[in-house]
Amino acid sequence: MEKQNNEIDSVAENLAHIVPILKRIFIKGLRTKTNLSPQTLYTLGALSYHSKLTMSGIGNHLSVPKPHVTALVDKLISEGLVERLSDERDRRIIYIQLTDKGKETFKEIKRMMTEAFRSDLSMFDEAKIHKMYECSLYIRDTLDEMAKSLQAGCCSGN
Amino acid sequence: MEKQNNEIDSVAENLAHIVPILKRIFIKGLRTKTNLSPQTLYTLGALSYHSKLTMSGIGNHLSVPKPHVTALVDKLISEGLVERLSDERDRRIIYIQLTDKGKETFKEIKRMMTEAFRSDLSMFDEAKIHKMYECSLYIRDTLDEMAKSLQAGCCSGN
DNA sequence: AATAATGATTACAAAATTATAACTATTATC
DNA sequence: GATAATAGTTATAATTTTGTAATCATTATT
């Protein structure tokens, strides 16, 4: 049990350590190439993964206060990248989903993102890249699983 | 080669996917518990890992414009968490390093960070946690190695 | 039907981050 | 020794993100 707690702490430390590195790799590389803010890009990503989310759902996923979600979505709508869908059974709820243009745009954004990363990672050999693939997928799946269980509101005004 | 590029793209996608989740877990949890901004926390983290960095070095590590590094360090100095050291051989250079108080404070911040994460991860069994440990460490080491090779200035005003 | 709760919006303010240009001090180069 | 380059700072503005309160429309509860 002691060992297990130590390992959890190391996981936390390792993951916290890579956040600024990842931000540097992905966000900064995109800033000059698009007029979308990081959070609108995250919003596109969340919608690409979940295909359909409520306003509150977006806020929970990205830990963004609800009032700001409205602003983010307004921006994306003005760019024609997402659309609102009303729920017939509960008319308070508004679903957001990518438009075709949004899907295309996000695909292009991912392309630009991976392009930069490709030259960075290409210094490593095939085995290492494969292991990076396995590890990143494992962490992604685990964190997704974990995130599901903490959907509840998390930040003020949410 | 094609396969390798596909794997690199998947790595990029997986890592980009987890950024908002990690931000949510670590940053948001700390916001109420400290008066330090995320970037000052990252600065502490970078100094904890590298023990000594120049102003430009901090800017490169965190992709923060140089003028803003001055502000971040000023804040940390006013809290007594870091100190400036001048380089005898080149008096333009200023090294920043943690004070004892800074080391203590960062240790405490890590404790709060891992505490929250612990309850989140505790839903998983020992084997899964161990694999998370191995994967997170592998990714951390690889990204560190990668980051070293792209020290060069990266953002405006840097 | 009145009341409470929920999902989303509006309006506003504060804090944090990013971007630029100009400047000082110091070192390197020619 | 003049010029260029580097490390860091000052000053300023714009953008992005975060926080809070009040409000509207709709649904749930009693």
Side-chain angles (χ1 to χ4, degrees):
Chain A
M1 191 57 195
E2 188 48 44
K3 184 198 165 204
Q4 190 167 345
N5 269 343
N6 283 343
E7 284 204 333
I8 292 181
D9 290 354
S10 294
V11 174
E13 195 175 334
N14 291 336
L15 292 179
H17 180 88
I18 65 175
V19 172
I21 303 177
L22 294 179
K23 276 187 63 178
R24 170 175 166 192
I25 293 172
F26 294 120
I27 301 300
K28 313 289 168 160
L30 284 177
R31 272 199 101 80
T32 51
K33 295 180 184 125
T34 167
N35 63 330
L36 299 173
S37 71
Q39 283 188 342
T40 52
L41 293 177
Y42 291 145
T43 304
L44 289 182
L47 290 171
S48 173
Y49 181 60
H50 290 94
S51 76
K52 200 168 92 173
L53 285 172
T54 65
M55 297 295 283
S56 309
I58 293 171
N60 282 331
H61 273 284
L62 308 184
S63 279
V64 161
K66 244 185 351 186
H68 187 48
V69 176
T70 301
L72 293 173
V73 168
D74 283 349
K75 166 71 177 171
L76 289 172
I77 284 178
S78 79
E79 301 278 342
L81 303 178
V82 306
E83 58 192 349
R84 291 181 214 260
L85 295 177
S86 49
D87 185 328
E88 293 309 318
R89 301 194 305 191
D90 185 342
R91 279 155 49 210
R92 290 171 301 184
I93 298 175
I94 293 176
Y95 288 105
I96 309 298
Q97 71 178 14
L98 294 176
T99 61
D100 288 341
K101 183 183 174 191
K103 288 175 193 163
E104 270 312 305
T105 302
F106 187 65
K107 201 184 292 177
E108 174 63 12
I109 285 169
K110 274 206 298 200
R111 200 193 54 71
M112 292 189 298
M113 211 176 59
T114 56
E115 195 174 58
F117 194 61
R118 215 182 262 187
S119 66
D120 295 338
L121 258 195
S122 58
M123 61 188 282
F124 300 119
D125 63 28
E126 204 173 329
K128 188 152 195 169
I129 288 172
H130 183 65
K131 181 142 192 199
M132 278 297 279
Y133 166 69
E134 288 181 330
C135 288
S136 65
L137 184 60
Y138 191 80
I139 287 176
R140 172 185 174 153
D141 287 341
T142 305
L143 290 181
D144 271 334
E145 193 177 343
M146 203 178 99
K148 244 185 292 180
S149 71
L150 42 97
Q151 281 315 335
C154 50
C155 62
S156 61
N158 222 345
Chain B
M1 192 54 193
E2 187 48 44
K3 182 198 166 201
Q4 189 167 345
N5 269 343
N6 284 342
E7 285 203 334
I8 292 181
D9 290 354
S10 294
V11 173
E13 196 174 334
N14 291 336
L15 293 179
H17 180 88
I18 65 176
V19 172
I21 302 177
L22 294 178
K23 276 188 63 177
R24 172 176 165 191
I25 293 172
F26 295 120
I27 301 300
K28 313 289 169 159
L30 285 176
R31 274 198 100 80
T32 53
K33 294 179 184 126
T34 169
N35 64 329
L36 299 173
S37 70
Q39 283 188 342
T40 51
L41 294 177
Y42 292 146
T43 304
L44 290 182
L47 290 170
S48 172
Y49 181 60
H50 290 95
S51 76
K52 200 169 91 171
L53 284 173
T54 64
M55 298 295 281
S56 310
I58 294 173
N60 282 332
H61 272 285
L62 308 184
S63 280
V64 161
K66 245 183 354 184
H68 187 47
V69 176
T70 301
L72 292 173
V73 168
D74 283 349
K75 165 71 177 171
L76 288 171
I77 284 178
S78 79
E79 303 278 341
L81 303 178
V82 307
E83 59 192 349
R84 291 179 214 260
L85 296 176
S86 50
D87 184 328
E88 293 309 317
R89 300 195 304 193
D90 184 342
R91 280 154 50 213
R92 292 170 299 182
I93 296 175
I94 294 177
Y95 287 104
I96 309 296
Q97 71 178 16
L98 293 176
T99 61
D100 287 341
K101 183 183 174 191
K103 287 176 193 164
E104 271 311 308
T105 302
F106 187 64
K107 203 185 289 178
E108 174 63 11
I109 284 169
K110 273 207 296 200
R111 201 193 54 71
M112 294 189 296
M113 208 176 59
T114 57
E115 196 174 56
F117 194 61
R118 220 182 259 187
S119 66
D120 294 338
L121 257 194
S122 59
M123 61 188 281
F124 299 119
D125 63 28
E126 204 174 329
K128 189 152 193 167
I129 288 171
H130 183 65
K131 181 140 194 203
M132 277 297 279
Y133 166 70
E134 289 181 331
C135 286
S136 65
L137 183 60
Y138 191 80
I139 288 177
R140 172 185 174 152
D141 287 341
T142 305
L143 289 182
D144 271 335
E145 193 177 342
M146 202 177 100
K148 242 184 293 177
S149 71
L150 41 98
Q151 281 316 335
C154 49
C155 60
S156 61
N158 223 345

